[in-house]
Amino acid sequence: MKGFVQGADRQQTTLLPECLDDWVDESNSVRAVDVFVDALELRELGFDGVTPAATGRPGYHPSPMLKLYIYGYLNRVQWSRRLEREAGRNLEVMWLTGRLVPDHKTIADFRKDIEADHPQMPARDRAAAIHLQIISSSSRPRHRRLSPWPALVRPW
């Protein structure tokens, strides 16, 4: 991924924790997300930015951005600002993205692009997650928006 913003090596020792790989359990769902996204041919799926631009500031490779997107989908993190916060403090997300912390605008733009270019992506990611047994079929995320009004009071 030369020519892109690079994440830190997962084996690099730090003050706390000593190695991120030690803090992410072998049965953690982020490991399955990592393997799943790494197995995808992102260029064939139509992702932009797989080849870095020759000029300008390096961008993020679509792979860690897609991993962050799927993590947010599986863990019901709906807002790009919250995903940005999770990327900076959650050890699972740090491990998953290689300690990359894209800002909320970058995350929102990636989400907008992926949902416009791949409207079937969330359902396919969910089906793959169930197939890989990342999540059980009983823990389905709600697709409808909950009303801010109490059950007995409706604005109409």
Side-chain angles (χ1 to χ4, degrees):
M1 293 191 307
K2 190 173 184 179
F4 293 104
V5 176
Q6 295 294 314
D9 182 18
R10 293 178 182 150
Q11 301 298 325
Q12 176 68 37
T13 58
T14 59
L15 181 61
L16 283 176
E18 290 183 14
C19 180
L20 279 180
D21 207 40
D22 295 340
W23 291 79
V24 177
D25 190 44
E26 292 295 325
S27 62
N28 196 313
S29 63
V30 295
R31 291 191 182 267
V33 171
D34 185 54
V35 170
F36 174 70
V37 172
D38 287 344
L40 294 175
E41 289 294 331
L42 298 179
R43 186 184 319 272
E44 292 176 9
L45 291 174
F47 282 88
D48 293 333
V50 175
T51 305
T55 60
R57 183 185 184 282
Y60 292 99
H61 191 273
S63 179
M65 296 299 293
L66 183 60
K67 291 174 185 179
L68 186 60
Y69 175 81
I70 293 172
Y71 175 86
Y73 182 75
L74 292 176
N75 291 287
R76 299 178 185 173
V77 180
Q78 301 170 352
W79 300 283
S80 56
R81 289 181 189 266
R82 184 152 176 232
L83 271 175
E84 176 187 12
R85 196 169 44 240
E86 290 291 313
R89 69 177 181 188
N90 187 326
L91 289 174
E92 293 176 346
V93 181
M94 286 181 192
W95 181 90
L96 188 62
T97 62
R99 289 193 183 151
L100 291 176
V101 184
D103 67 340
H104 63 277
K105 177 76 167 119
T106 304
I107 296 169
D109 288 344
F110 182 80
R111 178 180 284 165
K112 181 183 70 171
D113 291 344
I114 194 173
E115 290 176 357
D117 294 343
H118 308 281
Q120 79 284 4
M121 185 63 82
R124 186 172 65 199
D125 289 341
R126 172 149 174 71
I130 291 172
H131 178 70
L132 293 172
Q133 297 177 353
I134 296 171
I135 54 177
S136 68
S137 58
S138 63
S139 63
R140 296 186 176 157
R142 297 180 193 148
H143 291 288
R144 62 182 175 86
R145 295 188 186 269
L146 296 176
S147 171
W149 299 92
L152 300 176
V153 180
R154 298 284 181 213
W156 55 88

